Amino acid sequence: MRRILLPALAALVCLPAGTSYATTSHSPARQCGVVRTGAAPIAGAEVTLYQAGRAGQLPRVLAHARTGSQGEFGFPYRRPADPTAVLYLTADEGVVRLAAALGSPGPSDQPGSPVVINERTTVAAGYALAQFVDGRGVAGTYPGLQNAAAISHNLADVSTGGIAPLLAGPPNGALTSTLPAFNTLADLVAGCVAGQTCQALFTFAQPPGKARPADTLEAVADIARTPGNNVAGLFALAGVKQPYTPVLTAAPDAWTLAIRYVGNGRELDGPGNLAFDADGNAWVTNNYQYSPSPLASVCGDTKVVKLTPTGQDARGAPYYGGGLYGAGFGITLDPKGHVWVANFGFQGSQCPVDASLFYRSVSEFGPRGAVLSPPSGWRSGSIVQPQGTASDRQGNIWIANCGGSSVVEYPRGRPELARTITPPAALRLVKPFDIAVDPAARKWVTDNGGDSVLMMSADGIPQRSITTGGIRRPLGIASDSLGDVWVANSGILAVPCGSDSATDFADAVRNPPPGDRSVTMIGPDGSTPAQPFTNGGLVLPWGVAVDGDDTVWVSNFGGGRLVHMCGARVSACPPGYRTGQPISPAATGYPSDSLTRNTGVQIDPSGNVWLANNWLTAAVQTNPGGHEMVVFIGLAAPVRTPLLGAPRRP
């Protein structure tokens, strides 16, 4: 791409109507900006404004123009009538394609804000829109595509071409390595813009078994989707041209970008699990009352947090009442969008409250946070220390009654019809922890105290207890679209319900004895492989999620890493991979210093992987809670939400 090395523009002003341009229509709506590589303007680039396509459709060209000698461009265009339309800009010359995601169009009587297109905005767009970029452009469905465009603005500020405020400062910024990794990726693109590294970049970015990227935007999206591919080679290329700093000083284990969300910054303390609504908002359980000090005496939290896809509190959030107290791993949304939260009764070691007064309920909220359960919560069904909670497609609510050795069902979400399901002695259920619903609507319940998984019929009849396949102290469980279920075997973690206390749990975490850390796949017929799946990335595995391609994601309560595994649908895995083989680096998973001790993991409609920083790495029991949700950008195949049973593509 040709470059004219002139001083950067001091300000961007939309060009007058007489400026030369090409356009598909005539309209008062205007867009202007400048194209740069680092601080240097790029002249002669072909800038195109697109409306992203719907799933399976090509994007639509709204306008185009060439940049002037200072990299400037401007054009009128017809603003789409659809308020959910996603607009993006590209700047092209040859194999170089820079990009900036704009998002949804603004009011029709206002001009578009001036935009900078550069390597940083290209990396932001390529990662956030990774699951929607292919050789034909950008296309996808609501809400994943729209949310992805908005999330790109958490990485790069398109008004300046600089680092976005969320990435620039706490809890990100200098506190994690994500910002230098982001700059290093921008430098990687800059080498190609300079005409020095394009062919090597496309070779190293090419995913195994897939086509070679045709331009720099595709290359960035390919790196985002396969971050463990050719890591060292890409790192070496990034050193050729370095207009952006600070940068990584050594090659990472993988090219992931993980950002932390904290909502209003005064609410998350021990986030346990999350569930997404139909718009991609994250509803998050929270163990403890917020305090920034681990030495503060905290009791159980009395709120549920709702975060927008970009990490801010939703309108009116957080939400209080309805019996909430010390919620743990249990949260689900039903087909009506109602949110159900299990009140486990978590609290710090010095809290004077008798938790047994509160850990006997679930709470219900409407889609906008209205409290629907009474002040003491829904208590029907002899609930004691409830944990995993799931809704099926009929709206039946299923609750793992960890302290009561049973499963409670609220048929059609009606607590007054509650039934308590206690398996017969032959199907021993000691400490039910999590519940998954498979495509046939059967329920699968992990038994943390019995080293087993209980299989139940669609209507809740206990059928079989699975003890084979290396199941040991199981925690999270998730179904794939083929009817398999995937179990996280912590190996040693005895959850603090029933006869096991929080002290016992904390001791096990501090001094973990040798044990099996693994994942077990259970087939639809209840069969298991002879041995569980193991790899070096698994360190106290806790949560499990299955994405829209049926690949498997595992969070860890130790080690600060996320693990990605090939699922039962091997056609979605890299060529030659087998079921259970790690796709993430086998020795480390996808590590990140954004992570602490993680419990819940879920996939959103944009393909982002969310994890709950539940505990601090060095936890003190007065207040062991972590304070962030961590989001790996563009890493997984999107999932339709709310998740009602097995995952489906949006």
Side-chain angles (χ1 to χ4, degrees):
M1 178 177 283
R2 290 178 288 131
R3 299 177 308 287
I4 299 180
L5 300 180
L6 296 175
L9 297 178
L12 298 177
V13 179
C14 283
L15 301 176
T19 301
S20 175
Y21 55 79
T23 179
T24 59
S25 63
H26 299 283
S27 168
R30 296 185 59 79
Q31 182 62 61
C32 67
V34 64
V35 182
R36 294 183 180 134
T37 175
I42 299 177
E46 181 76 10
V47 178
T48 307
L49 176 65
Y50 289 97
Q51 177 180 344
R54 297 182 183 274
Q57 298 179 354
L58 294 174
R60 183 163 67 96
V61 174
L62 300 182
H64 60 90
R66 282 201 177 272
T67 56
S69 63
Q70 301 263 338
E72 77 279 8
F73 66 89
F75 38 61
Y77 69 98
R78 184 180 298 279
R79 196 185 306 267
D82 180 2
T84 68
V86 170
L87 307 185
Y88 68 99
L89 288 160
T90 63
D92 295 275
E93 190 169 19
V95 297
V96 171
R97 168 166 278 198
L98 302 180
L102 303 184
S104 299
S108 60
D109 60 346
Q110 295 181 9
S113 299
V115 170
V116 175
I117 307 173
N118 65 8
E119 292 91 349
R120 277 176 170 158
T121 64
T122 304
V123 173
Y127 266 70
L129 293 164
Q131 299 298 325
F132 307 100
V133 172
D134 63 22
R136 302 178 301 167
V138 176
T141 58
Y142 179 87
L145 176 63
Q146 290 72 16
N147 294 345
I151 290 165
S152 75
H153 301 159
N154 283 342
L155 298 173
D157 184 342
V158 295
S159 67
T160 66
I163 299 295
L166 185 136
L167 179 58
N172 299 292
L175 299 179
T176 78
S177 60
T178 300
L179 191 157
F182 178 75
N183 279 334
T184 305
L185 287 162
D187 287 341
L188 181 62
V189 177
C192 180
V193 176
Q196 297 176 257
T197 62
C198 292
Q199 296 310 310
L201 169 62
F202 298 155
T203 297
F204 287 139
Q206 181 178 1
K210 300 290 181 67
R212 193 168 183 260
D215 57 54
T216 49
L217 178 61
E218 282 188 51
V220 171
D222 282 338
I223 294 168
R225 292 185 292 252
T226 56
N229 187 38
N230 294 322
V231 174
L234 290 167
F235 178 74
L237 286 184
V240 172
K241 191 80 172 177
Q242 293 187 310
Y244 303 106
T245 58
V247 296
L248 295 175
T249 58
D253 292 286
W255 289 107
T256 57
L257 293 178
I259 56 175
R260 289 172 164 178
Y261 289 166
V262 294
N264 65 24
R266 303 176 306 279
E267 58 190 1
L268 291 175
D269 198 321
N273 204 358
L274 70 154
F276 295 103
D277 63 22
D279 295 317
N281 301 299
W283 293 76
V284 184
T285 63
N286 199 51
N287 293 176
Y288 312 107
Q289 293 174 331
Y290 175 79
S291 173
S293 171
L295 301 179
S297 177
V298 295
C299 292
D301 197 30
T302 57
K303 64 179 177 293
V304 62
V305 177
K306 180 183 179 182
L307 299 179
T308 67
T310 53
Q312 296 80 36
D313 273 5
R315 184 185 298 273
Y319 309 117
Y320 293 82
L324 276 171
Y325 188 82
F329 202 66
I331 187 167
T332 193
L333 277 84
D334 66 20
K336 297 180 291 185
H338 291 193
V339 181
W340 297 81
V341 183
N343 298 308
F344 181 77
F346 277 111
Q347 58 187 33
S349 60
Q350 301 302 313
C351 173
V353 172
D354 181 358
S356 69
L357 299 175
F358 302 99
Y359 64 42
R360 302 177 185 277
S361 71
V362 295
S363 301
E364 181 186 5
F365 293 83
R368 296 183 180 179
V371 179
L372 302 178
S373 50
S376 59
W378 297 121
R379 296 196 168 208
S380 305
S382 302
I383 291 173
V384 182
Q385 294 177 297
Q387 284 280 23
T389 305
S391 173
D392 58 28
R393 298 194 192 283
Q394 289 69 46
N396 304 307
I397 306 302
W398 302 84
I399 305 157
N401 202 18
C402 190
S405 301
S406 60
V407 175
V408 175
E409 180 199 7
Y410 286 175
R412 306 282 178 174
R414 298 177 61 184
E416 71 274 15
L417 301 179
R419 64 173 179 144
T420 302
I421 303 165
T422 303
L427 302 178
R428 183 168 172 256
L429 187 64
V430 182
K431 291 198 300 182
F433 184 77
D434 195 19
I435 298 179
V437 181
D438 72 13
R442 294 182 301 177
K443 283 73 191 180
W444 302 78
V445 186
T446 57
D447 183 0
N448 180 259
D451 295 338
S452 64
V453 172
L454 178 68
M455 181 174 71
M456 305 170 67
S457 66
D459 56 0
I461 304 301
Q463 295 182 318
R464 182 175 175 184
S465 182
I466 293 96
T467 58
T468 55
I471 298 173
R472 173 67 175 161
R473 291 289 187 187
L475 292 168
I477 188 170
S479 172
D480 64 24
S481 70
L482 306 177
D484 310 289
V485 293
W486 296 80
V487 182
N489 299 308
S490 73
I492 62 167
L493 297 179
V495 294
C497 65
S499 60
D500 292 297
S501 69
T503 300
D504 297 330
F505 178 85
D507 288 344
V509 172
R510 279 193 299 267
N511 302 294
D516 297 326
R517 283 72 153 168
S518 64
V519 172
T520 298
M521 183 185 76
I522 304 175
D525 61 354
S527 62
T528 63
Q531 299 295 326
F533 303 123
T534 60
N535 61 73
L538 295 172
V539 179
L540 303 182
W542 190 298
V544 182
V546 178
D547 68 17
D549 282 345
D550 283 325
T551 65
V552 181
W553 301 83
V554 186
S555 63
N556 290 271
F557 203 68
R561 73 272 308 273
L562 169 68
V563 172
H564 186 200
M565 301 170 64
C566 181
R569 182 150 58 97
V570 295
S571 60
C573 304
Y577 274 57
R578 62 187 184 279
T579 297
Q581 184 173 348
I583 297 172
S584 53
T588 63
Y590 293 137
S592 173
D593 52 9
S594 293
L595 300 173
T596 57
R597 295 190 181 276
N598 303 118
T599 49
V601 57
Q602 300 293 343
I603 316 297
D604 73 13
S606 300
N608 305 307
V609 185
W610 293 55
L611 296 96
N613 270 355
N614 180 246
W615 266 21
L616 300 172
T617 301
V620 180
Q621 293 311 297
T622 48
N623 180 15
H627 300 291
E628 306 93 13
M629 300 300 296
V630 178
V631 183
F632 282 76
I633 304 297
L635 195 52
V639 171
R640 184 185 305 181
T641 58
L643 181 63
L644 301 169
R648 296 183 292 172
R649 276 272 194 171

